[in-house]
Amino acid sequence: MPSQSEGRPSEARSRLLSTATRLFYAEGIHAVGIDRIVAEAQVTRATLYRHFPGKEELVLAYLNEVDRAMRGQADEAVAAGLPAADTIRALSESIARSIQSPGFRGCAFLNAAAEYPDPGSPVHQAVLGHRQWFLETVTELLAKIQDTGAEPAARHFVMMRDGAMAAGCLFDPVLICETFLHGVERLLQVYAATDYSGPAGA
């Protein structure tokens, strides 16, 4: 690509991705067509296809942006240098804030998985990759508290987070977040005090 045109296509790509991110999250991926994205981003179809060969590539770029944002939240919590339990609390509070934010429509990855149920789909694989990273991140934090049962406890945390994300756009988000944060606190208490074996042990 000619160097003199690098700035404009980069700006157009950013506008396309920003528009797609907003529409995909608010209305659903399958409900939003390429024509709508092109019109709202104020670019031509040729410009879109120069940056994204097809809609699937645009969807993957959208999920990558969400993934980067969530990794940034986790990195920020870890970088604070707090004890592991307090880091998990900080991460949980960040999740609660997102649930109570304007325009919240649930977890972008769970929403995408519902629209792309085929395990072989690149979009579905991107969802699984993100969720594996999140599980491993929580597992590593819990393992700093104690080694025994870190992964089952992390799975319990992820399930509570998933439930809060799903319920947060259906019911009173304040109450949902209170329930979620209470559950996290109880999980941490039980995990630190016992040989944790899973939700049944809580």
Side-chain angles (χ1 to χ4, degrees):
M1 186 178 300
S3 60
Q4 67 267 25
S5 64
E6 285 178 358
R8 290 178 59 192
S10 176
E11 180 185 348
R13 184 185 189 281
S14 177
R15 198 159 62 245
L16 279 163
L17 187 51
S18 175
T19 301
T21 295
R22 172 173 55 82
L23 294 175
F24 286 159
Y25 183 69
E27 301 182 22
I29 296 171
H30 291 327
V32 178
I34 290 297
D35 288 341
R36 171 97 178 273
I37 294 169
V38 165
E40 296 204 17
Q42 298 182 322
V43 299
T44 64
R45 266 181 168 267
T47 298
L48 182 144
Y49 289 124
R50 184 161 64 245
H51 295 288
F52 305 101
K55 184 177 179 180
E56 184 175 272
E57 286 76 15
L58 184 56
V59 172
L60 291 171
Y62 150 61
L63 292 177
N64 184 59
E65 285 298 298
V66 180
D67 176 74
R68 285 177 56 190
M70 293 186 66
R71 287 174 187 256
Q73 289 179 347
D75 290 345
E76 183 178 345
V78 172
L82 299 171
D86 288 336
T87 300
I88 291 173
R89 290 185 181 100
L91 185 58
S92 301
E93 288 165 2
S94 177
I95 291 168
R97 285 194 298 273
S98 71
I99 291 172
Q100 296 178 72
S101 63
F104 178 74
R105 294 291 184 273
C107 172
F109 289 92
L110 292 178
N111 293 347
E115 294 199 64
Y116 291 83
D118 180 4
S121 161
V123 173
H124 196 94
Q125 288 297 312
V127 172
L128 295 180
H130 169 81
R131 291 181 62 78
Q132 184 61 34
W133 159 78
F134 188 66
L135 176 62
E136 290 173 356
T137 297
V138 177
T139 301
E140 289 171 7
L141 287 169
L142 287 168
K144 292 179 181 179
I145 301 173
Q146 69 162 336
D147 289 331
T148 306
E151 187 174 345
R155 290 199 301 269
H156 190 176
F157 178 94
V158 172
M159 289 183 69
M160 287 195 297
R161 178 262 180 195
D162 287 350
M165 295 291 274
C169 57
L170 297 172
F171 306 104
D172 184 343
V174 174
L175 293 178
I176 295 302
C177 290
E178 287 178 357
T179 302
F180 168 62
L181 293 175
H182 177 77
V184 170
E185 194 61 38
R186 179 60 177 156
L187 172 64
L188 288 171
Q189 291 172 1
V190 172
Y191 177 69
T194 64
D195 289 335
Y196 191 87
S197 59

